[in-house]
C-alpha cells in the first residue's frame, strides 16, 4: 500500500489584505503540512523505541499546483519553500508536484529548479512510481488550449495509477474541464485523480475513478469558512475495506482563526449593536469579517474595524449588505455616463487587447484587483491564451484574489506584482523590485 499526503493551493507569498502577517501565514501552513509528513514518518521509524506508529506515515507529499501565489515569488518565500523541501528530503519523503495557473511562467517553472536541485519531481506523462502506485501529472492548461490535448501517458507496471492535475474539473463547482472525457481519452486507466485549484475540499467518483480536491491550506478568501487542511490518501489493495484500491481521508490544519460575525440589525439598532456582537467573540490575533444585514441605522465600517482592532484583531473587514432605499418617484433624466463612455470608446480605433483592458478597468472587479487582472490578461495574450479558465473568476475562491463579499476587495495585493508580465521568462536573478524571476531552468 502507498500512502501520500495530497495538498495544494498553498499560495505562498500571498499578502492578503496587504498584511505581512497574512503573507507569513501561507508559508506557515505549508510548513505545517511538511511537519505532519515528517512527524508521522519519524513516529513510524521510532515505533521500536516505544512510540506509537500513526498508520498514516506518508510515502510522498503530492502537491496539486499553486505552490506559490504568483510567478515571481519574493526571496523570503522562495527560501522558505526551499527549507521545507530540504526537510522532506532529509526525511526521504519525495515531493511530487504539478504547476498551477498562479505560478505558471512562459519559460521554465520554479518546480523545474527544485527538481534540478533534487528536491522535487515534476509529474508528467511518464510514470513516477512510489511503492505500488504510478503517479502522472497534468499541469494547468487554459481552457482555450484543451481541445489539442491527447492525454497520452506512458504505460506502467504498478498496481494503481494516479493522475495529479490543477484545474476546475467536473462534477465540482465552477467546472470547465470534462473529467469523464479526460478519463476516457487517457491511455492509462486511472484509479484516482488528485486535484488542485478549487479551494473547497470535495470528493466524487467519475468513470470508476475517485476524483478529489484537497482544498487550500489557508483561507485565500473570506468566503472560505470551512477549516483548511489536506487529504491523506491510501492507494493499493489494502487501502480500504472491500476491493476499492483508494481510501481518502481529511485532516485539518491549525491556521490563523477567521471570526465571522453576522449581525442582523433591527429598526433603531446601529453601531452599539454591532460592537456588542463583536465583543461576544474572541477576536485576538484573528481576521474578523463582519457582515451586516437587516434594517437599522447606517454604520461606518471604519468604526467597527477600529473597535475590533482595539480588542486585538489582526485585521477587520466590514460588509454592509443592506440596500439603500430610495423614493419610488425618483427618476434620472440625464444621460447615463457609462453609456456615454461606451459610445465614445466605440468611436475610437482600439485594438482588441485595449478594449479588453477597458472592460476590466470599467468592470465590476474591485479596484484593488484591477492591476493584477490587467497584467494577467496581457500576459495571457503574449502566451496565446484568452485567459479563460484562470482562477475561476471571482466567485468560487478557487485561486481567487477577489472576494466580492468581504467588503473591500482587499484580498489582492496591489504591491506584490502578482501576475506581472515583467521579468517572466528572463534569466534567473533579481529584478528592480527585489523579486526573483525565472527563465528556463532546464
Amino acid at each position: 500500500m502507498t500512502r501520500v499526503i495530497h495538498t495544494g493551493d498553498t499560495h505562498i507569498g500571498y499578502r492578503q489584505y496587504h498584511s505581512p502577517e497574512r503573507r507569513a501565514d501561507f508559508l506557515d501552513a505549508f510548513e505545517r503540512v511538511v511537519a505532519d509528513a515528517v512527524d508521522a514518518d519519524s513516529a513510524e521509524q521510532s515505533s521500536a523505541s516505544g512510540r506509537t506508529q500513526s498508520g498514516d506515515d506518508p510515502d510522498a507529499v503530492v502537491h496539486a499546483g499553486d505552490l506559490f501565489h504568483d510567478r515571481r515569488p519574493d526571496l523570503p518565500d522562495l527560501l522558505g519553500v526551499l527549507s521545507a523541501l530540504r526537510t522532506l528530503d532529509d526525511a526521504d519523503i519525495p515531493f511530487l508536484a504539478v504547476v498551477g495557473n498562479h505560478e505558471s511562467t512562459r519559460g521554465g517553472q520554479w518546480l523545474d529548479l527544485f527538481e534540478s536541485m533534487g528536491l522535487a519531481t515534476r509529474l508528467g506523462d511518464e510514470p513516477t512510481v512510489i511503492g505500488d502506485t504510478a503517479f502522472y501529472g497534468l499541469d494547468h492548461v487554459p481552457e482555450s488550449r484543451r481541445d489539442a490535448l491527447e492525454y497520452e501517458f506512458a504505460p506502467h507496471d504498478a498496481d494503481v495509477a494516479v493522475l495529479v492535475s490543477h484545474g476546475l474539473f467536473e462534477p465540482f463547482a465552477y467546472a470547465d474541464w470534462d473529467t469523464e472525457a479526460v478519463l476516457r481519452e487517457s491511455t492509462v486507466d486511472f484509479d484516482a485523480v488528485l486535484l488542485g485549484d478549487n479551494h473547497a475540499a470535495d470528493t466524487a467518483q467519475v468513470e470508476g475513478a475517485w476524483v478529489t480536491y484537497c482544498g487550500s491550506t489557508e483561507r485565500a478568501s473570506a468566503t472560505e469558512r470551512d477549516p483548511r487542511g489536506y487529504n491523506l490518501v491510501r492507494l493499493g489493495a489494502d487501502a480500504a475495506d472491500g476491493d476499492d484500491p483508494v481510501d481518502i481521508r481529511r485532516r485539518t490544519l491549525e491556521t490563523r482563526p477567521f471570526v465571522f460575525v453576522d449581525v442582523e440589525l433591527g429598526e433603531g439598532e446601529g453601531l452599539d449593536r454591532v460592537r456588542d456582537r463583536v465583543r461576544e467573540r474572541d477576536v485576538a490575533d484573528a481576521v474578523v469579517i463582519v457582515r451586516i444585514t437587516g434594517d437599522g441605522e447606517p454604520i461606518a465600517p471604519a468604526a467597527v474595524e477600529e473597535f475590533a482592532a482595539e480588542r486585538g484583531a489582526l485585521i477587520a473587514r466590514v460588509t454592509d449588505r443592506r440596500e439603500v432605499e430610495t423614493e419610488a418617484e425618483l427618476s434620472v433624466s440625464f444621460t447615463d455616463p457609462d453609456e456615454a463612455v461606451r459610445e465614445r470608446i466605440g468611436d475610437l480605433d482600439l485594438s482588441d487587447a485595449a478594449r479588453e483592458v477597458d472592460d476590466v478597468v470599467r468592470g465590476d472587479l474591485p479596484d484593488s484587483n484591477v492591476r493584477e487582472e490587467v497584467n494577467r490578461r496581457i500576459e495571457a495574450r503574449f502566451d496565446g491564451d484568452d485567459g479563460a479558465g484562470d482562477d475561476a473568476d471571482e466567485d468560487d475562491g478557487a485561486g481567487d484574489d477577489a472576494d466580492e463579499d468581504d467588503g473591500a476587495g482587499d484580498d489582492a495585493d496591489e504591491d506584490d506584482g502578482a501576475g506581472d508580465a515583467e521579468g517572466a521568462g528572463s534569466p534567473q536573478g533579481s529584478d528592480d523590485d527585489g523579486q526573483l524571476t525565472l527563465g528556463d531552468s532546464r
Side-chain angles (χ1 to χ4, degrees):
M1 180 168 57
T2 305
R3 299 180 180 91
V4 301
I5 285 179
H6 166 214
T7 188
D9 292 293
T10 44
H11 288 277
I12 295 166
Y14 186 16
R15 194 154 63 102
Q16 190 182 37
Y17 303 114
H18 309 283
S19 166
E21 291 86 357
R22 285 298 293 150
R23 171 180 164 181
D25 289 343
F26 283 82
L27 177 57
D28 288 345
F30 178 62
E31 290 173 339
R32 287 191 182 97
V33 175
V34 170
D36 283 357
V38 173
D39 289 347
D41 187 66
S42 298
E44 188 234 354
Q45 293 177 11
S46 303
S47 60
S49 61
R51 295 180 62 181
T52 302
Q53 183 172 341
S54 68
D56 290 324
D57 45 292
D59 298 298
V61 172
V62 177
H63 196 290
D66 282 354
L67 175 63
F68 293 108
H69 183 62
D70 65 61
R71 63 204 67 194
R72 298 197 305 163
D74 288 339
L75 182 59
D77 302 308
L78 183 60
L79 293 177
V81 169
L82 283 171
S83 177
L85 295 183
R86 287 193 178 100
T87 299
L88 286 175
D89 186 58
D90 290 342
D92 293 324
I93 300 175
F95 182 77
L96 318 179
V98 296
V99 177
N101 56 302
H102 268 256
E103 63 201 335
S104 178
T105 69
R106 293 193 302 273
Q109 310 300 328
W110 289 106
L111 187 55
D112 296 333
L113 175 63
F114 301 149
E115 185 173 50
S116 71
M117 299 172 68
L119 298 176
T121 297
R122 183 177 176 183
L123 296 173
D125 54 9
E126 295 287 336
T128 296
V129 179
I130 304 292
D132 53 6
T133 303
F135 292 89
Y136 296 83
L138 179 62
D139 293 338
H140 177 267
V141 179
E143 187 176 7
S144 60
R145 300 180 185 176
R146 292 175 195 162
D147 288 343
L149 293 177
E150 296 182 352
Y151 304 108
E152 293 186 356
F153 299 95
H156 67 91
D157 295 324
D159 296 336
V160 181
V162 173
L163 176 65
V164 183
S165 190
H166 188 93
L168 300 174
F169 285 79
E170 297 176 350
F172 306 98
Y174 314 104
D176 57 20
W177 209 327
D178 187 344
T179 309
E180 291 186 358
V182 173
L183 293 172
R184 285 196 306 265
E185 295 175 18
S186 293
T187 55
V188 166
D189 293 330
F190 291 110
D191 299 282
V193 182
L194 309 185
L195 296 172
D197 200 11
N198 197 326
H199 289 189
D202 205 352
T203 301
Q205 199 165 24
V206 180
E207 293 284 313
W210 287 104
V211 183
T212 182
Y213 280 99
C214 56
S216 60
T217 52
E218 252 291 357
R219 291 180 175 89
S221 165
T223 61
E224 298 171 19
R225 292 200 174 197
D226 293 337
R228 302 293 93 189
Y230 56 85
N231 286 340
L232 293 168
V233 184
R234 301 179 184 184
L235 304 154
D238 300 325
D241 295 335
D243 298 327
D244 200 325
V246 180
D247 178 65
I248 302 168
R249 303 185 184 187
R250 183 80 178 150
R251 175 169 289 179
T252 59
L253 284 170
E254 182 180 349
T255 58
R256 183 178 298 277
F258 270 52
V259 176
F260 298 94
V261 182
D262 298 319
V263 186
E264 184 174 0
L265 295 179
E267 186 175 353
E269 293 181 324
L271 179 59
D272 289 343
R273 173 60 175 161
V274 177
R275 285 175 172 170
D276 287 342
R277 290 299 307 276
V278 173
R279 193 179 288 112
E280 294 170 357
R281 308 293 298 277
D282 180 7
V283 300
D285 293 323
V287 177
V288 180
I289 307 297
V290 180
R291 301 177 190 266
I292 302 173
T293 58
D295 300 318
E297 301 172 354
I299 300 292
V304 179
E305 293 169 2
E306 181 179 355
F307 179 74
E310 291 172 355
R311 297 188 63 81
L314 174 68
I315 295 162
R317 290 293 183 268
V318 178
T319 302
D320 195 335
R321 308 296 295 177
R322 296 172 294 173
E323 295 181 359
V324 178
E325 295 184 0
T326 58
E327 297 294 334
E329 63 271 15
L330 180 65
S331 63
V332 179
S333 58
F334 53 83
T335 303
D336 182 353
D338 287 337
E339 181 61 31
V341 171
R342 283 192 293 270
E343 290 180 1
R344 177 56 181 155
I345 291 295
D347 293 337
L348 300 176
D349 186 19
L350 298 180
S351 66
D352 290 342
R355 291 180 185 276
E356 187 171 355
V357 170
D358 173 70
D359 289 340
V360 173
V361 173
R362 294 191 302 105
D364 296 330
L365 201 64
D367 291 345
S368 58
N369 287 6
V370 167
R371 174 187 173 192
E372 182 172 1
E373 180 63 18
V374 168
N375 285 331
R376 285 184 179 171
R377 295 203 183 191
I378 290 175
E379 182 155 326
R381 283 186 171 272
F382 281 126
D383 289 340
D385 172 27
D386 60 6
D390 282 356
D391 302 331
D393 297 323
E394 287 79 43
D395 300 322
D396 64 322
D400 290 348
D401 301 334
D403 174 22
E404 296 183 343
D405 295 330
D406 71 2
D410 288 330
D411 292 354
D413 176 19
E414 296 177 350
D415 303 319
D416 68 357
D420 287 353
E422 300 175 15
S426 63
Q428 182 184 349
S430 178
D431 57 18
D432 293 339
D433 61 6
Q435 291 173 314
L436 294 182
T437 57
L438 182 69
D440 188 353
S441 63
R442 293 188 185 274

